[in-house]
Amino acid sequence: MTANAFYPEELAARGKGDPWYTPGWDLARELSLQEGTSVQDEAALTAPLPRQDMARIICNVLTAKGLPLPRSGGASFADEADIAPDCRAAVAAAADLGILNGKGENTFAPLDAVTRAQ
Protein backbone atom coordinates (compact mmCIF):
# COMPACT_ATOMS: atom_id res chain seq x y z
CA MET A 1 0.00 0.00 0.00
CA THR A 2 2.80 2.41 0.85
CA ALA A 3 4.65 1.93 -2.43
CA ASN A 4 1.37 2.23 -4.33
CA ALA A 5 0.39 5.43 -2.53
CA PHE A 6 3.71 7.28 -2.61
CA TYR A 7 5.61 5.77 -5.54
CA PRO A 8 2.99 4.93 -8.19
CA GLU A 9 5.21 5.72 -11.19
CA GLU A 10 8.16 3.74 -9.87
CA LEU A 11 5.88 0.85 -9.03
CA ALA A 12 4.16 0.89 -12.43
CA ALA A 13 7.55 0.81 -14.16
CA ARG A 14 8.32 -2.49 -12.43
CA GLY A 15 5.34 -4.26 -13.92
CA LYS A 16 3.47 -7.12 -12.31
CA GLY A 17 5.08 -9.55 -9.94
CA ASP A 18 4.54 -13.05 -8.70
CA PRO A 19 3.40 -12.99 -6.00
CA TRP A 20 1.45 -9.75 -6.58
CA TYR A 21 3.22 -7.77 -3.84
CA THR A 22 6.78 -8.41 -5.08
CA PRO A 23 7.28 -5.10 -6.96
CA GLY A 24 6.06 -3.05 -3.98
CA TRP A 25 8.05 -5.07 -1.47
CA ASP A 26 11.23 -4.79 -3.55
CA LEU A 27 10.77 -1.03 -3.92
CA ALA A 28 10.09 -0.59 -0.20
CA ARG A 29 13.28 -2.45 0.66
CA GLU A 30 15.34 -0.47 -1.86
CA LEU A 31 14.10 2.75 -0.27
CA SER A 32 14.47 1.37 3.29
CA LEU A 33 10.82 2.12 4.04
CA GLN A 34 10.63 -0.83 6.43
CA GLU A 35 13.75 0.11 8.41
CA GLY A 36 13.24 0.12 12.16
CA THR A 37 10.03 -1.91 11.94
CA SER A 38 9.01 -5.52 12.45
CA VAL A 39 8.63 -5.87 8.67
CA GLN A 40 12.05 -7.24 7.82
CA ASP A 41 11.19 -10.22 5.66
CA GLU A 42 8.47 -11.47 3.35
CA ALA A 43 6.79 -13.51 6.09
CA ALA A 44 6.06 -10.30 8.02
CA LEU A 45 3.99 -8.92 5.13
CA THR A 46 0.96 -10.95 6.19
CA ALA A 47 1.27 -10.25 9.92
CA PRO A 48 -0.67 -7.45 11.61
CA LEU A 49 1.31 -4.19 11.59
CA PRO A 50 1.76 -2.50 14.97
CA ARG A 51 0.76 1.17 15.07
CA GLN A 52 4.28 2.22 16.11
CA ASP A 53 5.66 0.51 12.99
CA MET A 54 3.18 2.40 10.82
CA ALA A 55 4.48 5.64 12.33
CA ARG A 56 8.01 4.57 11.50
CA ILE A 57 7.06 3.69 7.90
CA ILE A 58 5.37 7.08 7.49
CA CYS A 59 8.51 8.87 8.68
CA ASN A 60 10.71 6.68 6.48
CA VAL A 61 8.59 7.67 3.44
CA LEU A 62 8.78 11.36 4.31
CA THR A 63 12.54 11.11 4.77
CA ALA A 64 12.95 9.20 1.50
CA LYS A 65 10.93 11.93 -0.22
CA GLY A 66 13.26 14.57 1.25
CA LEU A 67 10.53 16.12 3.38
CA PRO A 68 11.32 17.51 6.82
CA LEU A 69 9.98 15.87 9.95
CA PRO A 70 8.74 18.01 12.83
CA ARG A 71 11.40 18.43 15.48
CA SER A 72 9.14 19.55 18.30
CA GLY A 73 8.23 16.11 19.59
CA GLY A 74 5.20 17.91 20.97
CA ALA A 75 2.84 14.97 20.83
CA SER A 76 2.86 12.85 23.94
CA PHE A 77 0.64 10.01 25.01
CA ALA A 78 -0.20 8.55 28.39
CA ASP A 79 1.19 5.20 27.22
CA GLU A 80 4.42 6.67 25.83
CA ALA A 81 6.46 4.25 27.95
CA ASP A 82 4.89 1.41 25.94
CA ILE A 83 6.22 2.84 22.66
CA ALA A 84 9.55 1.30 21.64
CA PRO A 85 12.27 3.88 22.35
CA ASP A 86 13.42 3.89 18.72
CA CYS A 87 9.84 4.54 17.54
CA ARG A 88 8.97 7.42 19.90
CA ALA A 89 10.23 10.18 17.60
CA ALA A 90 8.33 8.67 14.65
CA VAL A 91 5.11 8.40 16.67
CA ALA A 92 5.48 12.00 17.84
CA ALA A 93 6.21 13.22 14.29
CA ALA A 94 3.28 11.33 12.76
CA ALA A 95 1.00 12.69 15.48
CA ASP A 96 2.37 16.25 15.14
CA LEU A 97 1.67 16.06 11.41
CA GLY A 98 -1.88 14.85 12.05
CA ILE A 99 -1.26 11.62 10.14
CA LEU A 100 -1.77 9.29 13.12
CA ASN A 101 -3.84 10.01 16.18
CA GLY A 102 -4.29 8.43 19.56
CA LYS A 103 -7.00 5.91 20.32
CA GLY A 104 -8.80 7.72 23.13
CA GLU A 105 -7.95 8.69 26.68
CA ASN A 106 -4.68 10.12 25.32
CA THR A 107 -3.29 6.68 24.46
CA PHE A 108 -1.50 5.65 21.28
CA ALA A 109 -1.69 1.85 21.74
CA PRO A 110 1.64 1.29 19.94
CA LEU A 111 1.37 -2.49 19.74
CA ASP A 112 -2.23 -2.60 18.51
CA ALA A 113 -2.53 -3.56 14.88
CA VAL A 114 -3.19 -0.66 12.55
CA THR A 115 -6.46 -1.10 10.65
CA ARG A 116 -7.41 0.01 7.16
CA ALA A 117 -9.81 2.53 8.69
CA GLN A 118 -6.97 4.13 10.64
Side-chain angles (χ1 to χ4, degrees):
M1 285 177 54
T2 303
N4 197 31
F6 295 99
Y7 300 93
E9 296 85 17
E10 295 90 335
L11 195 55
R14 292 171 180 263
K16 303 234 182 257
D18 185 30
W20 63 269
Y21 57 78
T22 301
W25 173 234
D26 289 345
L27 180 61
R29 285 185 300 162
E30 287 170 20
L31 297 170
S32 300
L33 302 182
Q34 87 294 354
E35 285 301 313
T37 72
S38 60
V39 184
Q40 294 302 309
D41 57 36
E42 222 172 304
L45 295 176
T46 59
L49 183 68
R51 290 171 47 82
Q52 66 184 6
D53 285 358
M54 187 71 246
R56 194 68 187 257
I57 290 169
I58 289 166
C59 289
N60 290 346
V61 168
L62 294 173
T63 300
K65 291 280 191 180
L67 299 170
L69 297 176
R71 298 177 141 257
S72 70
S76 65
F77 295 98
D79 59 349
E80 187 169 335
D82 296 336
I83 301 169
D86 60 332
C87 289
R88 288 182 186 150
V91 168
D96 285 349
L97 291 167
I99 298 171
L100 291 178
N101 297 314
K103 290 188 72 174
E105 298 182 16
N106 195 36
T107 61
F108 185 74
L111 300 178
D112 284 6
V114 68
T115 67
R116 287 179 182 240
Q118 293 171 338

